[in-house]
Amino acid sequence: MFAAAKPQKFAAISGATSGDNTVIAAVTARKIRVLALYLVPLAAVTVRFETAAGGTALSGVMSLAEKSVFVLPFNEAGWFETAAGALLNMELGGAVQVSGGIVYQEVL
């Protein structure tokens, strides 16, 4: 079944701590499936998404330039998803403000 059949949720992204930054809190027995997102860093920084803080990598390390815009366009099947019951983490390579937005679903 495609992800678009389930309710979509929206949230702001805001992180500035070197290392772990929670994007979406864990939901008991549910996975967080990322359908779309955008990020804008205040300065150059590396970003990686993980299932849980310090957890398994969901993306590779991405180098973002100062005030660039990184976009994952809408993908009804999802770009990646956390393990069940785990939060979605954004790991930053430095103490740089990274802001944006996310479209996601909570799935079994």
Side-chain angles (χ1 to χ4, degrees), residues 3-105:
K6 297 176 180 16
Q8 297 170 7
K9 297 188 175 194
F10 304 84
I13 296 174
S14 181
T17 302
S18 180
D20 297 328
N21 293 267
T22 298
V23 176
I24 305 293
V27 179
T28 303
R30 299 280 180 166
K31 298 176 186 178
I32 298 164
R33 180 178 294 156
V34 175
L35 303 176
L37 67 75
Y38 71 95
L39 301 173
V40 181
L42 189 58
V45 69
T46 59
V47 176
R48 180 174 80 164
F49 289 95
E50 301 172 335
T51 183
T56 303
L58 297 174
S59 73
V61 175
M62 301 170 284
S63 296
L64 304 183
E66 176 182 358
K67 297 181 184 171
S68 62
V69 179
F70 174 80
V71 176
L72 290 178
F74 184 79
N75 176 352
E76 67 182 66
W79 288 97
F80 47 79
E81 64 186 27
T82 66
L87 62 81
L88 176 62
N89 185 59
M90 178 176 66
E91 182 182 74
L92 298 178
V96 172
Q97 178 64 45
V98 176
S99 302
I102 185 168
V103 180
Y104 68 100
Q105 294 173 320

